[in-house]
């Protein structure tokens, strides 16, 4: 199972300030191929190919305002979605499908598009955010820790997995309560 992270409080979010030449907007008709391109560049090609319509468009949570893009010269180059999963509770938003074209890495765009998603949650009245990620997505984990997300244990093996991710990558300052977390209770996600 993927690692789970939670941000218990969405108050006092910093503003989204993009580097010069970049802007942010929500999904527009025809952006399906941009979304697919960003995810293929971020995560590699998949078989079968990723389809926005099948992955996102069929979901009841899908609305244009919830699928965000960072653009460069009006071309989407990063994305994240402000998802809502009813089983997580009315006040909880789910950060979904964060991806950045590698040629634009190093500009904190993953942080900024994810921050924009958190602002969207606040706009929708949500007070908490959750997400899922993988152990090997070290830059993503760092980004989420910088946004204030913390590890959330949902399976026994995640105690060691979280210890490895945090300690092997020097993220102790971003997760000072790691020992308390990994020694805590397994929780329902």
């Amino acid at each position: 199972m993927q690692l789970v992270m939670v941000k218990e409080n969405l108050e006092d979010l910093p503003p989204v300030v993009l580097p010069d030449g970049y802007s942010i907007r929500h999904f527009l008709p025809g952006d399906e191929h941009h979304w697919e391109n960003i995810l293929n560049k971020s995560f590699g090609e998949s078989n079968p190919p990723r389809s926005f319509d099948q992955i996102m468009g069929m979901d009841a949570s899908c609305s244009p305002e919830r699928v965000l893009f960072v653009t460069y010269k009006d071309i989407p180059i990063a994305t994240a979605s402000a998802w809502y999963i009813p089983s997580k509770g009315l006040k909880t938003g789910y950060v979904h499908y964060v991806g950045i074209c590698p040629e634009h890495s190093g500009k904190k765009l993953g942080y900024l598009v994810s921050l924009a998603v958190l602002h969207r949650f606040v706009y929708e009245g949500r007070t908490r955010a959750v997400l899922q990620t993988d152990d090997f997505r070290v830059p993503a984990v760092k980004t989420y820790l910088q946004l204030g997300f913390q590890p959330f244990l949902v399976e026994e093996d995640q105690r060691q997995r979280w210890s490895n991710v945090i300690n092997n990558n020097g993220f102790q300052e971003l997760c000072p309560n790691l020992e308390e977390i990994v020694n805590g209770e397994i929780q329902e996600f």
Side-chain angles (χ1 to χ4, degrees):
M1 178 173 193
Q2 287 186 296
L3 296 175
V4 176
M5 300 183 81
V6 63
K7 182 170 174 59
E8 293 291 353
N9 185 334
L10 298 180
E11 293 177 8
D12 302 321
L13 295 173
V16 178
V17 180
L18 294 162
D20 288 344
Y22 292 88
S23 59
I24 197 157
R25 66 169 174 81
H26 66 75
F27 183 92
L28 298 173
D31 277 339
E32 295 86 353
H33 75 279
H34 291 299
W35 184 90
E36 293 161 0
N37 179 55
I38 293 166
L39 290 187
N40 285 335
K41 286 185 171 185
S42 295
F43 304 120
E45 301 284 333
S46 66
N47 189 10
R50 285 180 186 86
S51 164
F52 178 88
D53 290 336
Q54 291 178 353
I55 296 172
M56 305 287 276
M58 306 281 286
D59 192 302
S61 290
C62 189
S63 70
E65 298 79 19
R66 288 184 172 158
V67 180
L68 303 180
F69 290 105
V70 171
T71 64
Y72 181 72
K73 297 183 179 178
D74 295 324
I75 303 296
I77 52 83
T79 189
S81 296
W83 232 235
Y84 170 64
I85 300 173
S87 65
K88 305 294 177 222
L90 185 62
K91 295 294 184 180
T92 300
Y94 182 85
V95 180
H96 200 31
Y97 280 104
V98 179
I100 299 101
C101 291
E103 60 270 26
H104 293 272
S105 65
K107 297 178 175 70
K108 297 232 175 240
L109 299 176
Y111 174 93
L112 293 166
V113 75
S114 297
L115 178 59
V117 162
L118 298 180
H119 279 280
R120 179 69 199 181
F121 291 150
V122 170
Y123 177 81
E124 292 182 0
R126 310 212 192 286
T127 58
R128 176 179 186 259
V130 297
L131 61 84
Q132 291 176 275
T133 191
D134 298 297
D135 310 54
F136 61 89
R137 298 196 191 288
V138 175
V141 171
K142 182 178 182 182
T143 294
Y144 301 139
L145 289 167
Q146 289 171 330
L147 284 164
F149 283 86
Q150 292 294 294
F152 187 85
L153 296 177
V154 296
E155 290 186 341
E156 190 63 37
D157 77 325
Q158 290 183 349
R159 296 177 194 282
Q160 187 60 51
R161 289 170 63 196
W162 272 118
S163 289
N164 291 343
V165 170
I166 300 299
N167 292 322
N168 294 347
N169 295 291
F171 297 159
Q172 295 88 343
E173 286 186 23
L174 295 171
C175 188
N177 57 342
L178 177 65
E179 288 303 313
E180 179 183 327
I181 293 168
V182 299
N183 291 319
E185 297 291 320
I186 303 296
Q187 301 180 56
E188 187 74 28
F189 177 61

